[in-house]
Amino acid sequence: MRASLETADIAIVTLYFVLVLCIGFFAMWKYNRNTVSGYFLAGRSMTWVAIGASLFVSNIGSEHFIGLAGSGAASGFAVGAWEFNALMLLQLLGWVFIPVYIRSGVYTMPEYLSKRFGGHRIQIYFAALSLILYIFTKLSVDLYSGALFIQESLGWNLYLSVILLIGMTALLTVTGGLVAVIYTDTLQALLMIIGALTLMVISMMEVGGFEEVKRRYMLATPNITSILLTYNLSNTNSCHVHPKPDALKMLREPTDEDVPWPGFLFGQTPASVWYWCADQVIVQRVLAAKNIAHAKGSTLMAGFLKLLPMFIIVIPGMISRILFVDDIACINPEHCMQVCGSRAGCSNIAYPRLVMKLVPVGLRGLMMAVMIAALMSDLDSIFNSASTIFTLDVYKLIRKSAPSRELMIVGRVFVAFMVIISIAWVPIIVEMQGGQMYLYIQEVADYLTPPVAALFLLGIFWKRCNEQGAFYGGMVGFVLGSIRLILAFIYRVPECNQPDTRPGFIKNIHYMYIATALFWITGIVTITVSLFTPPPTKEQIRTTTFWSLKIRSVKENASKGDPYKVQEKTILKCNENANPILPNGKSEENIKNTKPEDINLLVTCREDSNPVISVSHSEVETPVDCYSNGQVALMGEKKREEETDNREKHWKFIDWFCGFRSRNMNERAIQDTEEETLCLQMLEETPKVKLLLNIGLFCVCSLGIFMFVYFSL
């Protein structure tokens, strides 16, 4: 019997929605959303607390509450390995990847690849791959899991509730940009942790503590006789009813079907490098930090928070199996269909069932709000990041001279397009067979992402890696991974008690071992092709590798009359440790022919005695307007028309709604100078702060290793 919302529950859910919309609209009015940096990177003004909370909540979506708890119910501790792995990969992001991204002055990951390797082939490949992964793994799975929770707990109409949630999330993202996303994420992180911790305490008290959870889980087997009598099933066979013998171990034997330890360490880890260090959803948040210290602080905070899911999601999933074993561990496809509407299994209802049965009135409303928070935070992350990638990596290639105002509108229109795709996906998601949903996400990602991780690691650590090597290596990995993914969809795992007729190479080789092979094949092809083709230019690797962080001087390659020379001296005088970002892939002749106004945005500081102020009539330009594709857009060559006061009323309304305001030239110059000064200071760290951050790094990594060892022995 389904539980229904009481008045107190409805009040809490309503209050939550009002709070979230108020925060979103507050961000919309207060913060600067009328530049590319303002909308997509929150003006690079966020603190470590807000970003750390946003990182955590962007990752822990409704698919974690449904999928992690479901896998905990089905197979024990194993699925917690992803959480402890993420804890350490976040530090790789903060200490290695983010400094390089800041140093190279990029907004998006495809833009980084384009800047590092030159050309547009890799940029377009990665942008397309990211959008495909967003729509077919993240978006579809989030909607399915969020809808499953709402249906299980409230009995609301599935389509209506999902459309309402998508609509609200899109409104928030379209109006507020990344500031709204990060601020609402901070509220949602707090709410999520409080709600989930409350449920963990209630469920632990119900079973008698952690040791009792371990003991009773191994005995959690459904009563087959009782089920056959109750449900009047025509199929009396049963399978997968007993807990797995090694359910209380995290890393398992090399032949295990869930988490074989060699596959996890050598295959899953590289695949996770893509998600944590090169995925727009995660990286975009950290790039919004005030400086490198806040960026590192945010990854440390998110790392500590990643200890929580094992205790607030996986273990409650195991408790749900203990308390409701006849439902969660359904005995055959016919029984599963009657219990939860999926023939593949009912482990996915573990968390919602726990909420509806254990949580008292009032707190149930809080948990409902937590699940809505999880779904909305995931959706707003995807909407914001997908619109960033589309706008700056796809649209910008088509319309090279597009002003900021146009980019803002295109970004918002693309969010609307994503909403339509999301709603169209709902009927397909409803038909999707659940099984262990979290492992489904990992399997799809493991076939497509290891080649990307290999390209990023080689690009950052190996200067000799060039565009041809990266492109052909990436293509080989992508083709092989896609073939294996298609075969995995053709040859599905057979139902309970059905013979397994799949080919041996699909049946017997775990997807993590496939990921390992894809990662190393991509790396070998990339290295081989790179060594047989010309090396990248010095400009391509000057600001885009890990080793470039150590170079603190500016190369003077200009003649006396060169417009760069005065600016380079100014930069050196202003800050000896700073490096300007020059257009990659430019020869000396190109630079000699470049006009001063074309490169004014590449100057990192200005003096009153030598002002360099643009007189073009363009909108507020940001660094991406100059070198999103590794080349300087010649802003001085084309004069854009000035905005007139007698524009149509509907355009004025669109400008107001999107937060785009016209500014006079003085305001633009001041704002431009401020942004450049901020970028100059971002990589600076004081010795005390550096020491404090390194101590935090040691603590969080030690804790992660301890957790792996404790749960694997």
Side-chain angles (χ1 to χ4, degrees):
M1 188 178 122
R2 282 207 171 100
S4 59
L5 280 185
E6 305 288 335
T7 312
D9 296 323
I10 293 168
I12 287 172
V13 174
T14 308
L15 181 68
Y16 165 75
F17 270 99
V18 170
L19 252 176
V20 166
L21 282 178
C22 286
I23 288 173
F25 282 112
F26 172 74
M28 174 179 172
W29 263 278
K30 183 169 170 49
Y31 288 90
N32 175 28
R33 303 171 298 122
N34 65 318
T35 64
V36 176
S37 175
Y39 180 71
F40 291 124
L41 289 187
R44 286 195 156 141
S45 62
M46 307 309 294
T47 59
W48 64 274
V49 177
I51 298 168
S54 184
L55 279 175
F56 177 70
V57 88
S58 300
N59 169 243
I60 302 291
S62 52
E63 92 282 358
H64 274 69
F65 280 99
I66 300 287
L68 268 183
S71 289
S75 62
F77 289 151
V79 77
W82 274 271
E83 302 307 300
F84 298 145
N85 199 35
L87 175 153
M88 290 189 274
L89 290 176
L90 271 164
Q91 309 325 312
L92 184 69
L93 170 70
W95 265 258
V96 175
F97 282 79
I98 286 295
V100 174
Y101 296 149
I102 291 172
R103 179 79 176 81
S104 53
V106 295
Y107 280 61
T108 71
M109 298 304 92
E111 184 193 341
Y112 169 77
L113 289 175
S114 174
K115 193 163 188 182
R116 167 65 179 84
F117 297 114
H120 299 313
R121 295 189 299 185
I122 297 174
Q123 183 181 9
I124 292 167
Y125 152 65
F126 185 75
L129 181 66
S130 297
L131 294 174
I132 288 167
L133 281 164
Y134 287 158
I135 292 167
F136 296 109
T137 60
K138 294 183 180 183
L139 203 56
S140 57
V141 169
D142 277 341
L143 288 176
Y144 170 66
S145 53
L148 190 70
F149 186 93
I150 293 167
Q151 193 177 43
E152 171 70 20
S153 56
L154 304 170
W156 287 6
N157 179 284
L158 193 82
Y159 300 97
L160 181 69
S161 55
V162 168
I163 288 168
L164 180 74
L165 287 170
I166 291 173
M168 278 197 62
T169 307
L171 181 69
L172 194 70
T173 309
V174 166
T175 52
L178 192 64
V179 173
V181 170
I182 288 181
Y183 276 125
T184 52
D185 278 357
T186 309
L187 168 73
Q188 288 164 355
L190 188 66
L191 191 63
M192 199 182 284
I193 292 167
I194 292 169
L197 279 172
T198 306
L199 180 59
M200 182 193 76
V201 171
I202 292 170
S203 57
M204 281 279 198
M205 286 166 63
E206 186 74 21
V207 295
F210 185 55
E211 290 303 317
E212 198 63 14
V213 170
K214 293 199 282 189
R215 187 187 72 80
R216 289 178 62 180
Y217 180 83
M218 297 309 292
L219 303 172
T221 303
N223 185 336
I224 296 169
T225 311
S226 168
I227 289 168
L228 291 174
L229 289 171
T230 308
Y231 285 92
N232 191 23
L233 303 174
S234 59
N235 179 4
T236 57
N237 294 325
S238 63
C239 57
H240 306 316
V241 293
H242 299 287
K244 296 182 179 179
D246 53 2
L248 301 181
K249 282 179 70 178
M250 189 172 279
L251 296 180
R252 301 174 181 174
E253 297 301 314
T255 53
D256 184 75
E257 63 177 12
D258 290 324
V259 187
W261 72 264
F264 187 83
L265 293 179
F266 301 111
Q268 184 58 53
T269 302
S272 297
V273 165
W274 166 78
Y275 180 83
W276 288 108
C277 303
D279 179 23
Q280 188 68 20
V281 170
I282 299 298
V283 174
Q284 187 175 359
R285 271 147 189 70
V286 189
L287 282 178
K290 282 182 175 180
N291 54 40
I292 191 66
H294 279 278
K296 288 179 177 179
S298 70
T299 62
L300 284 177
M301 178 181 166
F304 281 114
L305 288 176
K306 286 298 280 180
L307 292 167
L308 291 175
M310 181 70 189
F311 301 99
I312 63 175
I313 303 177
V314 179
I315 291 172
M318 295 167 70
I319 293 171
S320 187
R321 179 182 177 125
I322 295 168
L323 298 178
F324 316 113
V325 66
D326 287 357
D327 289 348
I328 307 297
C330 50
I331 63 171
N332 61 40
E334 190 185 350
H335 178 217
C336 295
M337 195 69 191
Q338 289 192 33
V339 172
C340 64
S342 168
R343 296 181 65 83
C346 288
S347 61
N348 285 336
I349 67 166
Y351 201 85
R353 184 62 56 93
L354 203 62
V355 172
M356 301 321 295
K357 299 288 187 186
L358 288 192
V359 178
V361 174
L363 274 180
R364 196 182 295 155
L366 176 68
M367 289 308 298
M368 184 66 205
V370 165
M371 290 307 299
I372 294 170
L375 180 66
M376 285 183 66
S377 67
D378 247 28
L379 291 176
D380 68 25
S381 300
I382 294 162
F383 288 149
N384 190 279
S385 299
S387 70
T388 306
I389 284 181
F390 179 79
T391 307
L392 300 185
D393 292 307
V394 179
Y395 190 77
K396 198 102 173 104
L397 285 179
I398 301 164
R399 291 260 304 149
K400 287 192 172 79
S401 61
S404 286
R405 175 172 170 273
E406 186 178 324
L407 293 183
M408 295 302 97
I409 293 169
V410 168
R412 282 136 167 114
V413 169
F414 189 73
V415 170
F417 172 71
M418 293 276 289
V419 170
I420 294 164
I421 289 184
S422 309
I423 294 171
W425 253 103
V426 172
I428 300 162
I429 298 154
V430 173
E431 297 302 317
M432 233 172 70
Q433 298 308 315
Q436 284 192 55
M437 190 182 65
Y438 191 75
L439 298 184
Y440 155 81
I441 305 166
Q442 300 304 333
E443 184 174 359
V444 173
D446 277 14
Y447 293 141
L448 296 176
T449 59
V452 179
L455 297 188
F456 270 90
L457 287 168
L458 283 170
I460 281 176
F461 287 109
W462 191 44
K463 291 181 179 181
R464 183 65 177 76
C465 187
N466 64 13
E467 195 270 347
Q468 291 95 324
F471 179 73
Y472 290 112
M475 280 294 110
V476 168
F478 175 70
V479 169
L480 292 175
S482 300
I483 291 168
R484 182 63 181 82
L485 180 62
I486 292 163
L487 289 174
F489 279 119
I490 293 170
Y491 296 105
R492 297 307 295 160
V493 178
E495 281 187 353
C496 180
N497 283 331
Q498 297 296 314
D500 194 342
T501 57
R502 294 177 298 164
F505 72 93
I506 289 178
K507 180 169 60 179
N508 301 324
I509 302 177
H510 196 280
Y511 66 86
M512 289 184 190
Y513 292 124
I514 303 288
T516 310
L518 289 171
F519 178 76
W520 290 105
I521 288 169
T522 303
I524 290 165
V525 172
T526 303
I527 290 168
T528 307
V529 175
S530 292
L531 290 173
F532 281 96
T533 48
T537 64
K538 286 182 181 178
E539 284 301 325
Q540 283 174 340
I541 57 172
R542 199 174 60 77
T543 64
T544 55
T545 68
F546 182 68
W547 316 113
S548 65
L549 295 172
K550 295 175 183 176
I551 301 167
R552 296 294 182 182
S553 60
V554 180
K555 184 179 73 173
E556 288 200 27
N557 60 350
S559 61
K560 279 187 180 179
D562 196 321
Y564 271 117
K565 191 162 186 182
V566 178
Q567 294 162 359
E568 283 182 357
K569 284 182 180 174
T570 308
I571 293 161
L572 287 168
K573 192 174 173 181
C574 195
N575 191 332
E576 287 178 15
N577 294 327
N579 277 303
I581 298 161
L582 293 174
N584 284 345
K586 287 276 186 186
S587 67
E588 285 187 31
E589 279 184 35
N590 292 135
I591 291 171
K592 282 175 186 173
N593 295 331
T594 306
K595 297 174 186 176
E597 64 267 27
D598 299 339
I599 44 100
N600 74 79
L601 287 168
L602 304 179
V603 186
T604 45
C605 79
R606 299 192 176 152
E607 292 180 343
D608 293 336
S609 60
N610 181 31
V612 188
I613 295 173
S614 169
V615 290
S616 75
H617 297 296
S618 65
E619 301 292 341
V620 180
E621 297 287 349
T622 59
V624 75
D625 291 304
C626 303
Y627 51 82
S628 73
N629 305 321
Q631 306 291 331
V632 175
L634 297 181
M635 294 179 290
E637 286 185 2
K638 291 184 180 179
K639 240 187 179 182
R640 299 196 185 112
E641 293 180 5
E642 290 186 9
E643 290 182 4
T644 55
D645 292 330
N646 59 349
R647 289 181 306 164
E648 297 90 337
K649 285 182 180 177
H650 66 272
W651 277 113
K652 287 186 180 179
F653 174 76
I654 289 171
D655 281 1
W656 169 81
F657 186 74
C658 291
F660 196 94
R661 298 183 298 278
S662 286
R663 293 174 178 268
N664 63 40
M665 293 311 299
N666 290 339
E667 284 179 6
R668 291 176 188 178
I670 291 164
Q671 184 194 38
D672 198 25
T673 309
E674 284 174 355
E675 282 186 7
E676 288 169 7
T677 308
L678 188 68
C679 284
L680 179 69
Q681 295 165 350
M682 279 187 78
L683 285 170
E684 298 295 321
E685 280 179 290
T686 62
K688 283 183 182 177
V689 170
K690 197 169 188 175
L691 178 66
L692 189 67
L693 289 168
N694 288 336
I695 291 168
L697 174 68
F698 176 77
C699 292
V700 79
C701 290
S702 303
L703 208 52
I705 293 164
F706 169 76
M707 286 294 178
F708 262 124
V709 174
Y710 176 78
F711 282 105
S712 296
L713 289 177

